[in-house]
Amino acid sequence: MNYYANMNSMWAGACKDLHARGGVTQSRAGLTTEVVGWCGTLNDIDQNVLLTPLRKMDPAYACAELLWYVGGSGAVRMLCEYAPSYKRFANPQTVDGVAHGAYGARWSDNPGFHAKRGVFSGQTQLDAVVELLTKRPDSRQAVVTMWDSGDLHHAIEGDVNDVPCTVSMQFLLRDKRLHCVTYMRSNDVWLGMPYDVFCFTSLQRVIANRLMALPGRYVHCVGSLHAYHSNFDKGFSLATAGAMGPAAKYSNAAHGYAIHALPTSEAAVDNERAIRESVTEGKAMVVDLGPGGLDPLSDAAILCARKLTKGAIGATATTPALERAWDLKYGGAAC
């Protein structure tokens, strides 16, 4: 088990392991360098944003992906506004397509969960996890799943453009801290890992707040940790040398970590949808995006607004980590 103080050191550690232990493996998308069976623990999920000029993480896309998850939709049009190439994962491969493996949709429409959804007070597996841990705080059964056994058929037939890379997330409430253990069957260090860890730890923070708990450790387990050779030399050698740059905490130092009432997932998604529609229709509007710097959902709405409107709305500052990621990606510009 590898332990890391922040996302910078976790990403650099994964790069080092690929260099030191990785083997060349063919895949359907080209040659990769791969480590089979990798696991790392992020000790402080308030430091979950990758901040390095070697891999300029797009904070607006990361936030859009988070809102897409909690929104529960499989339609890719939303994400294509932030990353047009995402349509390659849709069926059909257009902005009007649907992602077969969309996590948020599976949290509400997984057949086993859907059949019993009426017994829960909420509508998604995340809601059920909160209900379970509220009733039984010591439970080891608070698991949400992305993978379904039917995906094996699609993997054999190759008839969909994506199957879930993530199998499950387990939440454990111990000593008033919420820990999370994620298992991914496949994780690309360059393309996916920074966004996956950000989104999953953000969800961990949201659920911790709903439970009135503090955030605990985040454990990231991967079956195939890899990098495609087309990306392998884009700074990986510098990362192994430690040229990463400073980390930054997620939470605003003036607030610390605040346990408070979060805006609903529906409100955050509705804000993003209203912003996107106003931009598409060329309308000016005012949207209540929340205070910023306090929780992942209001921060996500602010970053999405800033990206879509080129700074026309959403000028509110978020947290130091997201603001630094924005500056690294866009050089302080509107987008």
Side-chain angles (χ1 to χ4, degrees), residues 90-139:
N91 303 279
Q93 291 181 317
T94 71
V95 296
D96 295 315
V98 174
H100 168 77
Y103 299 165
R106 290 187 170 219
W107 290 336
S108 58
D109 293 334
N110 176 282
F113 177 81
H114 186 80
K116 299 291 185 181
R117 189 161 58 183
V119 306
F120 302 112
S121 58
Q123 293 297 307
T124 74
Q125 291 184 53
L126 297 178
D127 296 322
V129 160
V130 172
E131 185 173 340
L132 172 59
L133 291 177
T134 299
K135 293 179 178 178
R136 293 171 47 203
D138 60 348
S139 177

Side-chain angles (χ1 to χ4, degrees), residues 45-327:
I45 72 163
D46 283 343
Q47 301 193 61
N48 65 343
V49 180
L50 181 65
L51 297 169
T52 172
L54 305 178
R55 174 60 172 105
K56 296 178 181 178
M57 173 180 167
D58 186 341
Y61 174 76
C63 288
E65 194 169 39
L66 173 62
L67 291 181
W68 188 55
Y69 290 162
V70 299
S73 174
V76 302
R77 177 172 289 275
M78 171 187 173
L79 284 184
C80 288
E81 295 286 342
Y82 303 90
S85 64
Y86 199 87
K87 62 180 180 288
R88 72 185 188 275
F89 297 116
N91 303 279
Q93 291 181 317
T94 71
V95 296
D96 295 315
V98 174
H100 168 77
Y103 299 165
R106 290 187 170 219
W107 290 336
S108 58
D109 293 334
N110 176 282
F113 177 81
H114 186 80
K116 299 291 185 181
R117 189 161 58 183
V119 306
F120 302 112
S121 58
Q123 293 297 307
T124 74
Q125 291 184 53
L126 297 178
D127 296 322
V129 160
V130 172
E131 185 173 340
L132 172 59
L133 291 177
T134 299
K135 293 179 178 178
R136 293 171 47 203
D138 60 348
S139 177
R140 299 187 295 267
Q141 300 171 347
V143 177
V144 300
T145 56
M146 290 78 148
W147 183 268
D148 183 85
S149 58
D151 290 319
L152 286 171
H153 165 75
H154 293 297
I156 293 169
E157 296 296 325
D159 57 349
V160 296
N161 293 318
D162 79 310
V163 293
C165 291
T166 309
V167 176
S168 65
M169 298 173 67
Q170 180 183 12
F171 298 93
L172 295 153
L173 188 59
R174 299 291 184 267
D175 298 323
K176 299 182 179 179
R177 288 187 177 273
L178 184 72
H179 307 288
C180 178
V181 181
T182 294
Y183 176 68
M184 301 190 70
R185 62 169 183 83
S186 173
N187 202 198
D188 185 302
V189 168
W190 186 266
L191 297 175
M193 186 180 186
Y195 299 98
D196 294 323
V197 174
F198 172 80
C199 284
F200 297 151
T201 52
S202 294
L203 289 169
Q204 180 182 353
R205 183 181 289 108
V206 168
I207 293 174
N209 266 343
R210 289 180 61 183
L211 292 167
M212 299 298 287
L214 292 170
R217 295 183 299 277
Y218 172 77
V219 184
H220 193 71
C221 301
V222 184
S224 167
L225 181 77
H226 59 268
Y228 289 99
H229 283 192
S230 57
N231 295 317
F232 195 68
D233 293 326
K234 293 181 179 179
F236 274 37
S237 59
L238 293 175
T240 62
M244 290 295 298
K249 277 187 174 293
Y250 181 92
S251 299
N252 189 309
H255 298 290
Y257 184 82
I259 297 178
H260 63 287
L262 289 172
T264 65
S265 298
E266 291 81 3
V269 175
D270 286 346
N271 273 340
E272 192 281 335
R273 183 180 298 114
I275 295 161
R276 185 157 35 89
E277 290 175 352
S278 71
V279 171
T280 301
E281 297 171 6
K283 296 178 180 179
M285 66 178 299
V286 176
V287 179
D288 180 10
L289 298 171
L294 291 175
D295 70 75
L297 299 182
S298 62
D299 284 332
I302 289 168
L303 263 292
C304 288
R306 191 185 301 172
K307 171 72 172 181
L308 289 181
T309 65
K310 302 184 185 300
I313 60 175
T316 307
T318 58
T319 63
L322 286 175
E323 294 300 323
R324 186 178 296 174
W326 183 276
D327 290 341

